Amino acid sequence: MINPELNIILRKIWESLAKSTEDLTHPWRLASLGMQSINGPTVRTMVLRSAIAQTRTLTAYTDIRSTKISNFRQDPRVAWAFYNHKTKEQVRANGRAILHYNNKETRLALNTITKTNLYNYSTPLAPGTKINPKKVNQTNTTEMSFAISNFAIIDCNITCIDWLQISPEKHLRAQFNWNGYDWNMSWVTP
């Protein structure tokens, strides 16, 4: 049975996710991404780069040398968490990560990234490498080939969304589960 209200909520979730990729001040732009590591669960803040409802895909950029890459390769399951402190709305989205490196997708994305943002991928040392003493500027601003060779994309194919609206009167919660063809939608106890 189709629930029009749940359809509207799901549509608004994807619209807000897509809006957050263009609006630098949107609270969902910086999201928490959780995954498994050798030592157990790990969470980090990622910049959401795209959200496409039709393909159920959330995208982030990363450095191919990051430890999260080996985590994804061992266990591609991911969990995103978004929270809007103004609207008191939380969205959790689970799915599987697909890595893109040195392929058509990364080449297309590289054409859209500002030079300033490309510098984030141009460090000679891998993210997390111990350094001593602290270096103020670790990026190599003259050799952009570092950035190009280190750049990767994480596409997350979303299969479950949990929405929570916090309110002084009553909380509302809904779940959306992808069945392979469409979303199964239901209200659940907050």
Side-chain angles (χ1 to χ4, degrees):
M1 179 162 69
I2 296 175
N3 184 320
E5 191 175 5
L6 290 174
N7 273 325
I8 291 168
I9 290 169
L10 183 62
R11 181 177 47 80
K12 286 185 176 181
I13 289 169
W14 282 104
E15 286 173 357
S16 291
L17 288 167
K19 181 181 178 186
S20 75
T21 66
E22 298 168 6
D23 180 356
L24 300 178
T25 64
H26 196 288
W28 288 2
R29 182 168 176 82
L30 295 175
S32 297
L33 178 62
M35 66 203 73
Q36 286 294 330
S37 74
I38 293 171
N39 298 320
T42 182
V43 179
R44 59 190 24 94
T45 301
M46 299 290 289
V47 177
L48 184 65
R49 298 297 180 172
S50 74
I52 304 170
Q54 296 80 3
T55 58
R56 305 173 341 277
T57 306
L58 300 179
T59 302
Y61 299 158
T62 193
D63 188 311
I64 194 68
R65 302 168 298 168
S66 169
T67 56
K68 68 176 124 357
I69 299 301
S70 62
N71 295 340
F72 288 133
R73 288 182 173 147
Q74 288 180 339
D75 188 342
R77 294 176 297 168
V78 295
W80 288 87
F82 304 89
Y83 183 70
N84 186 327
H85 63 281
K86 293 177 184 172
T87 63
K88 307 291 188 226
E89 184 179 20
Q90 172 187 272
V91 169
R92 294 182 296 152
N94 294 14
R96 289 183 144 345
I98 300 165
L99 297 172
H100 297 281
Y101 175 66
N102 195 22
N103 62 12
K104 178 183 174 185
E105 286 81 1
T106 56
R107 286 188 290 278
L108 289 172
L110 281 166
N111 291 328
T112 66
I113 299 172
T114 65
K115 197 173 223 181
T116 304
N117 284 342
L118 271 178
Y119 291 145
N120 295 325
Y121 308 100
S122 68
T123 60
L125 300 174
T129 301
K130 292 182 182 179
I131 54 176
N132 192 14
K134 176 182 86 170
K135 295 180 183 177
V136 176
N137 185 2
Q138 298 179 55
T139 60
N140 184 336
T141 57
T142 59
E143 188 55 63
M144 292 310 289
S145 63
F146 280 133
I148 294 166
S149 65
N150 296 333
F151 178 75
I153 298 173
I154 305 165
D155 277 340
C156 300
N157 197 273
I158 302 303
T159 55
C160 178
I161 296 174
D162 188 296
W163 172 83
L164 175 66
Q165 178 66 62
I166 300 170
S167 168
E169 296 82 40
K170 64 177 181 176
H171 301 334
L172 295 173
R173 185 175 172 201
Q175 289 182 342
F176 308 89
N177 292 289
W178 185 252
N179 64 20
Y181 305 99
D182 201 1
W183 291 101
N184 292 330
M185 306 177 192
S186 58
W187 291 105
V188 294
T189 305

